[in-house]
Amino acid sequence: MPEPQPGRESILRLIPSIDEILQTAEAHRIVGEAGQRKLLALARAACESLRNQIKEEAISNGTSKSDLLASAVKSMQASWSAENRSGLRRVINATGVIVHTNLGRAPLSENAKKAILEQASGYCTLEYDLQTGKRGKRGARAEMLLAEITCAEAAVIVNNCAAAAFLVLTVFAKGKGVVISRGELVEIGGDFRVPDVLAQSGAYLQEVGTTNRTKLSDYEKAITENTGMILRVHPSNYKIVGFTESPDLSALAELAPKKDLLLYEDAGSGAMLDLSEFGLNDEPVIAESISAGVDIATFSGDKLLGGVQAGMIVGRKPLIDSIRKHPLYRALRVDKLAYAAIEATLDAYARETALTEVPVLKMLSMTKQAIEERTSRFAQRLGAQIDKDSDLKIQVIDGTSLVGGGSAPGTRADTALLALIHTKMSEVELERALRFSETPVIARILEDRVVIDLRTVCESEEDELFDILTRLSRFSRQNPS
Ligand SMILES: *Cc1c(COP(=O)(O)O)cnc(C)c1O
């Protein structure tokens, strides 16, 4: 009989049992957050991973039982923390992109947050009229405010602008032709393609003009007996420049009723105010579209309007009423939390305090000088805190912020940036370290530096950012936490 060799077989026998893992202090901590079932799955996966590592000889034969237990616990913790990080987490947006689609578009105003929490998170008057004690109209005040601010006869709110466009086309153009300029057959955000939405709604496309130039006569010539609508789409995320032409909305508004057609504008971003002084020259102001004579306009609630995800539909009252009566509306309507936030956001527009109250507008209207002062103050404070021979080198430099995402293509605003260089980390490692901090900081890489744009960092987040950067100044590659 050969002597049992210390080797793969014997070390496999040292793998801790599930029970042993469950007895550790770390397991007791995780169970409180994750629950028993999840903990068990994590412990099993940790053992499995140990077994594989031993088979692949990634763990040496001399490893002790307690080392294996420690290793299992560590891998369990790592899996749990990775899963946690994959959930919805608050982040500090230091990219300077104001309407950042991947980071949740518009941040809410303080009043909107408060309204969600205090007015809508429990029982509320969603469909209840306090005056009469009877059933009330869902979202009545939010929709009334929306109509008032956009100077429309009526308004109705649905899940998002894609839903709004789909609903409008379904209710008014199903089985009919929709005339649209070739320059407006755009794709917005991956899965919203104007021709596809049109086809889904049961309408058919009557494209006119060319990519860069479409005349009123092109629209006129295309109209047939079966045409039901003229559609104008705001190409929100790209721009045709140079030799371009398209008829004014008011010219289309004159043509439409003559041919017994509806004029519908998908305005996208939802500017309630003229934002040209902040560099947004091409954003349709909804009230202007209405006064130019569109019958219906749709736009997002969480782009330039600065509220929550929602699709706003405004226009003539009989049309809005038909939308509300359509069975598809029931499937696309919004919940009480959205109504609460929208109502509070629109209140700021009604009071004319939106520029100082609604974060998107506040960030948009910040001057370069104001950001530069704030950034310099922050840099000075940071400089005083971190050691002279610290690993983190900071500098304030000139740069540009982008408005968005799904809005205002190419609109840039001058800004000041906090530029960071870390002597022990590359710019890629530093960007990652920021992203992996307790509150993730999302920053940009500019050449060999990581840059922080305070335009999109709320003042209430500054201390947190300060602490994160202070910690990073003492962080070296040897001890990644
Ligand atoms: C952004 C946008 C949409 C889609 O809006 P969501 O609110 O994201 O659904 C539709 N049309 C236009 C013109 C847009 O700009």
Side-chain angles (χ1 to χ4, degrees):
M1 289 286 279
E3 285 284 292
Q5 291 294 311
R8 300 294 96 180
E9 290 309 312
S10 56
I11 190 173
L12 278 171
R13 268 184 262 118
L14 297 183
I15 291 179
S17 70
I18 301 289
D19 248 4
E20 282 169 308
I21 296 178
L22 298 188
Q23 294 310 317
T24 60
E26 290 81 359
H28 285 296
R29 192 187 54 77
I30 292 175
V31 78
E33 295 172 7
Q36 194 65 36
R37 189 194 293 253
K38 172 64 76 179
L39 177 67
L40 208 57
L42 289 166
R44 287 204 177 108
C47 289
E48 189 57 33
S49 148
L50 274 186
R51 204 165 290 124
N52 290 334
Q53 287 177 61
I54 291 170
K55 283 185 186 147
E56 290 158 10
E57 309 197 359
I59 291 178
S60 73
N61 289 353
T63 311
S64 70
K65 190 172 164 67
S66 65
D67 282 348
L68 288 178
L69 179 61
S71 165
V73 165
K74 211 171 149 196
S75 105
M76 188 170 71
Q77 278 174 315
S79 307
W80 176 236
S81 114
E83 177 176 334
N84 256 332
R85 293 182 63 82
S86 72
L88 197 59
R89 297 264 307 260
R90 176 172 74 89
V91 301
I92 295 178
N93 174 10
T95 64
V97 179
I98 299 173
V99 181
H100 196 306
T101 299
N102 298 348
L103 301 183
R105 288 196 182 159
L108 296 185
S109 69
E110 290 309 316
N111 282 335
K113 291 184 210 171
K114 205 166 138 214
I116 289 180
L117 199 67
E118 292 178 10
Q119 311 303 337
S121 52
Y123 294 120
C124 63
T125 55
L126 180 65
E127 289 184 18
Y128 186 81
D129 185 339
L130 286 175
Q131 214 66 25
T132 61
K134 300 214 169 79
R135 181 175 177 167
K137 186 173 153 236
R138 207 182 158 84
R141 182 155 183 274
E143 288 167 356
M144 182 199 78
L145 280 171
L146 189 59
E148 279 177 9
I149 292 163
T150 57
C151 305
E153 288 175 14
V156 58
I157 301 173
V158 292
N159 181 59
N160 57 11
C161 189
F166 182 59
L167 190 54
V168 168
L169 291 167
T170 305
V171 176
F172 301 111
K174 192 172 189 156
K176 296 183 187 164
V178 174
V179 184
I180 178 172
S181 161
R182 289 198 167 86
E184 298 171 12
L185 290 172
V186 294
E187 170 176 316
I188 289 153
D191 32 26
F192 184 89
R193 291 177 149 196
V194 172
D196 296 350
V197 176
L198 238 141
Q200 275 302 320
S201 71
Y204 64 90
L205 191 64
Q206 293 182 280
E207 39 186 304
V208 298
T210 62
T211 305
N212 57 329
R213 286 173 76 89
T214 304
K215 299 184 172 65
L216 187 64
S217 57
D218 294 324
Y219 284 89
E220 275 178 311
K221 276 183 270 170
I223 294 166
T224 67
E225 283 215 321
N226 203 34
T227 303
M229 178 185 277
I230 297 175
L231 170 58
R232 159 68 55 101
V233 176
H234 178 60
S236 305
N237 51 8
Y238 92 121
K239 191 170 169 176
I240 299 173
V241 291
F243 188 52
T244 61
E245 179 182 343
S246 62
D248 284 343
L249 214 46
S250 51
L252 292 178
E254 231 172 83
L255 176 64
K258 273 193 227 151
K259 305 282 182 179
D260 208 14
L261 304 176
L262 288 180
L263 175 60
Y264 160 40
E265 180 185 40
D266 181 12
S269 298
M272 302 285 98
L273 317 165
D274 182 351
L275 300 171
S276 53
E277 69 174 296
F278 312 120
L280 281 81
N281 300 313
D282 299 321
E283 289 306 318
V285 176
I286 307 301
E288 288 174 12
S289 295
I290 294 291
S291 94
V294 304
D295 297 299
I296 305 181
T298 58
F299 50 98
S300 289
D302 56 354
K303 292 181 182 168
L304 293 177
L305 189 132
V308 284
Q309 179 190 303
M312 313 310 212
I313 310 177
V314 299
R316 299 198 193 285
K317 185 159 190 312
L319 303 176
I320 300 297
D321 288 344
S322 336
I323 290 173
R324 204 188 299 277
K325 284 192 206 105
H326 195 279
L328 193 55
Y329 164 70
R330 178 68 171 76
L332 301 175
R333 69 185 193 183
V334 295
D335 74 334
K336 58 182 179 177
L337 303 184
Y339 275 127
I342 293 165
E343 196 178 317
T345 306
L346 292 175
D347 267 328
Y349 284 96
R351 281 194 300 269
E352 299 185 15
T353 53
L355 281 179
T356 53
E357 220 186 287
V358 176
V360 164
L361 297 183
K362 215 162 119 182
M363 292 169 182
L364 199 59
S365 59
M366 274 178 201
T367 62
K368 167 161 186 211
Q369 194 194 346
I371 298 179
E372 195 158 31
E373 281 167 13
R374 195 176 149 205
T375 310
S376 298
R377 239 181 295 129
F378 187 79
Q380 260 166 26
R381 186 175 152 215
L382 196 60
Q385 173 76 15
I386 63 183
D387 306 331
K388 277 277 168 293
D389 52 354
S390 147
D391 293 329
L392 194 65
K393 309 292 173 207
I394 52 179
Q395 205 188 349
V396 179
I397 61 169
D398 289 342
T400 49
S401 321
L402 276 173
V403 172
S407 320
T411 300
R412 289 161 188 282
D414 288 337
T415 195
L417 300 167
L418 188 72
L420 307 171
I421 287 185
H422 200 282
T423 53
K424 297 211 174 61
M425 282 189 270
S426 69
E427 66 280 9
V428 173
E429 288 169 318
L430 180 57
E431 182 276 332
R432 185 179 186 278
L434 284 166
R435 194 153 34 86
F436 273 73
S437 53
E438 179 69 10
T439 300
V441 177
I442 315 300
R444 278 191 292 148
I445 292 177
L446 194 67
E447 289 156 14
D448 62 342
R449 296 187 272 201
V450 170
V451 293
I452 302 255
D453 190 337
L454 289 184
R455 186 189 290 273
T456 48
V457 177
C458 303
E459 260 152 49
S460 60
E461 293 168 328
E462 254 187 43
D463 285 347
E464 213 174 354
L465 181 63
F466 180 85
D467 291 341
I468 291 167
L469 292 175
T470 306
R471 247 174 280 136
L472 272 172
S473 73
R474 302 186 204 111
F475 176 105
S476 71
R477 227 192 301 243
Q478 285 70 39
N479 64 359
S481 57

